Amino acid sequence: MSLPLEGLSAIVTGAGRGLGRAEALELARLGAAVVVNDYGQSGRDGSGEASAAPAEQVADEIRAAGGKALAHTGDVADHQQAEELVALAVAEFGRLDILVNNAGILRDRMVFSMTEDEWDSVIRVHLKGHFNTTRFAAAHWRERSKAVGGPVYGRIVNTSSEAFLAGSAGQPNYAAAKGGVVGLTTSTALALARYGVTANAICPRARTRMTEDVFEGIGRPEQGDEGGEGLDPLAPEHVAPLVGYLAAPAAGRVNGQLLVVHGGMVAIVERPRVQAKFDSKQDTFTYDELDALLTPHYADRPAGETFGAVEVLGLRRG
């Protein structure tokens, strides 16, 4: 029996640790050849011994398990290096089939204290990084489609966040970047559907090096606790199977979607809907008319309620 991703090739960005590592290992387990991307070169460990770059360590791990993998240590937020990453996958494996955008950083601070660099760096890595790789992968699929005269195989899995869905007071840069990722995803899904390519976004909740401060104090289960075999509900391994599914042929009809995933739970987020509509009785609204319509409409709303879906933070495996 063949594996669902057998014969396909993938790129996973930010795959040296945490979520990206778990996703790269899962894609390889399902049969894909993987380019493991993570920014950073070889260095030395605490004892002064030479150590391989994180991307190289994960690629070694995949090969040791019998899979195909190679490492790329470039910066996906750099346009040229992102182009080189896609070109590497095509040159090594003959084509690119799957792109998983995961690379990111945090620079948390309240909006009134945030520096320009803290804003720019997060937007650059998350949002521009997603765009850069998507741009060159999309061009590759479009060219392949034109060459064969029909649809080809292509899957994009982008990484958004509940910080965008619910709002996160101390992460205006991160929430904005992750909201932008959703906009990029839905636009890409519509643009590439004709070529046979799907694009979806996930909002994972996981304990990684990047989020250790966010989830500090949330305990890990002991052996035998609910959730099975003592696996941390926030373990990245809860997220990786969904990425594998979205990358597979079985998910061909899943496109332009946003899914929340963590702790043995997947939730599909419904698109925004119009809650109310008001029409002016004149050619255009006046201040007084808007006051008469909108002020009563909001008068009984719960204090603090916004467009943000705070209830998503309460989702748990039931």
Side-chain angles (χ1 to χ4, degrees):
M1 182 177 178
S2 63
L3 296 170
L5 302 184
E6 190 171 328
L8 302 179
S9 65
I11 289 171
V12 183
T13 71
R17 303 177 179 87
L19 271 174
R21 173 183 173 275
E23 292 163 354
L25 293 174
E26 177 70 1
L27 295 184
R29 189 187 71 80
L30 295 175
V34 183
V35 179
V36 180
N37 162 264
D38 198 90
Y39 186 47
Q41 303 298 321
S42 302
R44 296 191 177 278
D45 60 23
S47 65
E49 294 293 323
S51 62
E56 294 167 347
Q57 294 176 21
V58 176
D60 286 342
E61 199 172 346
I62 291 172
R63 290 191 291 265
K68 296 180 181 178
L70 68 153
H72 178 270
T73 56
D75 178 7
V76 294
D78 180 282
H79 203 60
Q80 182 178 342
Q81 292 182 55
E83 181 178 18
E84 292 168 355
L85 170 59
V86 173
L88 175 64
V90 174
E92 184 72 18
F93 302 123
R95 68 184 196 187
L96 173 65
D97 301 292
I98 300 158
L99 170 63
V100 179
N101 283 310
N102 171 75
I105 61 172
L106 289 179
R107 298 290 185 270
D108 293 352
R109 202 174 300 277
M110 300 296 285
V111 68
F112 43 76
S113 302
M114 182 162 287
T115 67
E116 182 180 15
D117 181 68
E118 288 167 341
W119 174 271
D120 288 348
S121 60
V122 168
I123 298 296
R124 177 183 179 272
V125 176
H126 287 274
L127 189 51
K128 187 182 179 186
H130 271 63
F131 160 72
N132 284 343
T133 53
T134 297
R135 183 258 183 264
F136 294 111
H140 167 70
W141 288 318
R142 181 172 179 266
E143 290 170 7
R144 277 176 51 198
S145 178
K146 292 171 88 172
V148 302
V152 297
Y153 192 96
R155 298 284 188 269
I156 299 174
V157 182
N158 288 333
T159 306
S160 183
S161 170
E162 291 168 298
F164 149 69
L165 283 173
S168 182
Q171 297 180 304
N173 47 5
Y174 183 70
K178 291 308 192 181
V181 165
V182 174
L184 172 64
T185 302
T186 53
S187 175
T188 302
L190 292 174
L192 300 187
R194 62 186 294 186
Y195 303 116
V197 178
T198 67
N200 294 286
I202 63 170
C203 294
R205 192 186 303 175
R207 192 193 311 276
T208 67
R209 189 178 66 157
M210 191 177 84
T211 64
E212 60 186 355
D213 291 339
V214 176
F215 296 122
E216 185 178 5
I218 299 177
R220 296 170 171 82
E222 299 297 331
Q223 287 287 335
D225 280 3
E226 184 177 357
E229 300 303 319
L231 182 63
D232 184 352
L234 294 175
E237 287 75 15
H238 285 298
V239 176
L242 177 62
V243 173
Y245 167 75
L246 292 173
R253 291 181 59 83
V254 184
N255 193 29
Q257 301 299 306
L258 179 64
L259 302 99
V260 176
V261 55
H262 61 82
M265 181 216 73
V266 173
I268 300 170
V269 179
E270 188 175 25
R271 67 183 185 272
R273 297 185 182 275
V274 176
Q275 190 269 327
K277 175 178 175 290
F278 301 96
D279 297 317
S280 174
K281 295 180 180 179
Q282 305 150 122
D283 287 340
T284 187
F285 277 111
T286 64
Y287 169 86
D288 289 337
E289 191 177 14
L290 288 170
D291 181 24
L293 290 169
L294 296 183
T295 301
H297 178 76
Y298 284 105
D300 296 327
R301 287 292 183 93
E305 182 181 272
T306 70
F307 182 78
V310 180
E311 63 274 14
V312 75
L313 299 178
L315 289 172
R316 296 290 188 276
R317 180 180 179 181

